[in-house]
Amino acid sequence: MKKVRKAVLPVAGFGTRFLPATKSSSKEMLPLVDKPLIHYAVKDAVDAGIEQIIFVTGRGKRAIEDYFDISFELEYHLKFQGKDELIEDIRKISDMADFVYMRQKEPKGLGHAILRAKDVVGDEPFAVILADDVIENDESGTKQLLDVFNRYHCSVVGLEEVPPSDVSKYGIVSGKEIENRVFKLDNFVEKPSPDEALSNMAIIGRYIFTSKIFDEIEKVKPGKKGEIQLTDAILSLSKQEVVYGKIMDGKRFDCGSKDGFLKATVEFALNDNEIKDEFKKYLRKVVEC
Ligand code: UTP
């Protein structure tokens, strides 16, 4: 089996839950303290040994390309100010991986976005990372899935147990536990009502796929809103070859929602050595009022 060297990061959505902020800039550039969400997503991939990042971008996403490029003017300015340490820090960002950009002309769903990367990925297994889901853990989310992939050589999706009231926000799966927190999956439903849910195991934004997923996405019929759902393609993939699910270790923040984004901001600030003491004092004061 070929090694997983590439990761697809779809960033072409409109991010309507963050309007008006996302009217002119990208949701993935919203910062948690001092790094944009997309930085954490790329780091998640790089920490798993991924060498090439394939962004699927859309309108208004130039800031992402600029972020991972060299900024000559900024470096010149910092050099002039004698801030050599900062130059080194920002240079490291463009050296994180090899970056490739594809375009999704219209946001027709996650499945459609991933299909745009088909030619660049070729016939290799690959990772998919959604920058919305930030996972705080010693071992990166992608690395956790890669360990399962390396044992079974089949597609693996990241899972989280969610409260019954939240199942309608996710793709929900069922399956048989074959080792601690690892499941052989047998069914998938996109955003079910609590009564229709197969379980409380939700798919979150980390995946490893064999290249067969592209054939299955191509067969998916658009849903009510014209979107090509990735969950439908995973279901048909599971009928051709085994698909595994792994309940992820660590703390996940749904930064695609205001609530999750704010919780992540607070937690990341409380973990930041430079600001945590002052920030903790401030939070205590605000909460007491
Ligand atoms: P979301 O479902 O969160 O959609 O997409 P969104 O547009 O980003 O945000 P809301 O729901 O309108 O607030 C999950 C991920 O899939 C990407 C998004 O950029 C996000 O990273 N995506 C979604 C695409 O790249 N293309 C699409 O057509 C849809």
Side-chain angles (χ1 to χ4, degrees), residues 10-17 27-28 104 107-110 113 130 132:
V11 292
F14 280 136
T16 50
R17 283 169 288 172
K27 168 177 73 175
E28 294 80 10
Q104 185 191 22
K108 287 190 183 165
L110 187 52
L130 304 188
D132 283 4

Side-chain angles (χ1 to χ4, degrees), residues 63-80:
I64 295 177
E65 289 184 45
D66 288 344
Y67 184 79
F68 291 103
D69 199 0
I70 288 173
S71 174
F72 176 75
E73 303 89 320
L74 179 60
E75 287 187 18
Y76 181 82
H77 177 74
L78 293 173
K79 182 98 199 147
F80 188 70

Side-chain angles (χ1 to χ4, degrees), residues 12 14 56-59 103-108 112 116:
F14 280 136
V56 180
T57 71
R59 241 167 246 285
R103 193 98 176 177
Q104 185 191 22
K105 287 184 202 150
E106 284 175 87
K108 287 190 183 165
H112 183 261
R116 295 291 300 120

Side-chain angles (χ1 to χ4, degrees), residues 8-285:
V8 176
L9 275 64
V11 292
F14 280 136
T16 50
R17 283 169 288 172
F18 279 95
L19 279 170
T22 45
K23 186 180 171 201
S24 59
S25 80
S26 163
K27 168 177 73 175
E28 294 80 10
M29 287 304 291
L30 292 171
L32 289 181
V33 186
D34 56 2
K35 292 181 204 74
L37 294 177
I38 197 69
H39 183 111
Y40 296 99
V42 169
K43 188 168 184 313
D44 195 280
V46 171
D47 286 350
I50 298 286
E51 295 157 16
Q52 187 176 67
I53 303 288
I54 304 158
F55 288 110
V56 180
T57 71
R59 241 167 246 285
K61 304 284 176 171
R62 265 288 301 280
I64 295 177
E65 289 184 45
D66 288 344
Y67 184 79
F68 291 103
D69 199 0
I70 288 173
S71 174
F72 176 75
E73 303 89 320
L74 179 60
E75 287 187 18
Y76 181 82
H77 177 74
L78 293 173
K79 182 98 199 147
F80 188 70
Q81 293 197 326
K83 295 182 174 163
D84 289 28
E85 220 173 90
L86 270 179
I87 299 180
E88 220 173 281
D89 282 353
I90 60 160
R91 239 326 146 92
K92 275 190 205 145
I93 299 171
S94 52
D95 290 339
M96 283 171 97
D98 171 30
F99 299 103
V100 176
Y101 297 87
M102 303 299 295
R103 193 98 176 177
Q104 185 191 22
K105 287 184 202 150
E106 284 175 87
K108 287 190 183 165
L110 187 52
H112 183 261
I114 293 169
L115 191 57
R116 295 291 300 120
K118 181 180 174 181
D119 289 345
V120 186
V121 170
D123 64 356
E124 299 182 21
F126 65 104
V128 172
I129 299 174
L130 304 188
D132 283 4
D133 279 330
V134 175
I135 297 172
E136 217 192 2
N137 192 49
D138 287 345
E139 192 172 45
S140 93
T142 305
K143 174 75 172 49
Q144 294 179 43
L145 298 191
L146 214 47
D147 289 344
V148 178
F149 176 84
N150 289 337
R151 286 203 295 282
Y152 298 102
H153 307 294
C154 286
S155 300
V156 194
V157 301
L159 300 176
E160 182 175 285
E161 290 171 303
V162 297
S165 54
D166 280 354
V167 290
S168 58
K169 296 182 194 162
Y170 297 93
I172 299 292
V173 303
S174 61
K176 186 170 178 289
E177 191 164 15
I178 51 156
E179 58 176 274
N180 188 27
R181 295 163 78 85
V182 178
F183 291 77
K184 196 170 177 177
L185 303 180
D186 54 31
N187 209 351
F188 302 75
V189 181
E190 181 65 16
K191 300 192 171 92
S193 66
D195 315 336
E196 296 162 333
L198 305 161
S199 74
N200 68 337
M201 290 194 295
I203 303 181
I204 58 163
R206 298 290 182 282
Y207 315 77
I208 306 281
F209 289 121
T210 62
S211 58
K212 186 102 183 41
I213 192 74
F214 292 123
D215 302 337
E216 302 312 316
I217 298 175
E218 275 167 349
K219 288 183 212 154
V220 171
K221 296 207 173 68
K224 280 180 220 145
K225 294 180 191 159
E227 293 197 334
I228 309 276
Q229 298 289 3
L230 178 63
T231 311
D232 294 346
I234 307 177
L235 173 61
S236 59
L237 179 69
S238 73
K239 290 177 180 156
Q240 331 273 325
E241 48 184 51
V242 182
V243 175
Y244 294 92
K246 149 106 178 115
I247 298 185
M248 311 285 292
D249 298 328
K251 201 164 185 179
R252 179 191 66 104
F253 298 95
D254 172 13
C255 293
S257 72
K258 286 181 202 169
D259 171 68
F261 177 77
L262 291 172
K263 283 177 183 159
T265 301
V266 171
E267 297 236 10
F268 275 63
L270 291 174
N271 282 333
D272 186 308
N273 287 334
E274 207 183 308
I275 57 172
K276 67 179 179 191
D277 295 336
E278 270 307 305
F279 189 61
K280 209 181 273 177
K281 273 191 224 155
Y282 173 75
L283 278 185
R284 283 213 181 94
K285 216 163 103 190

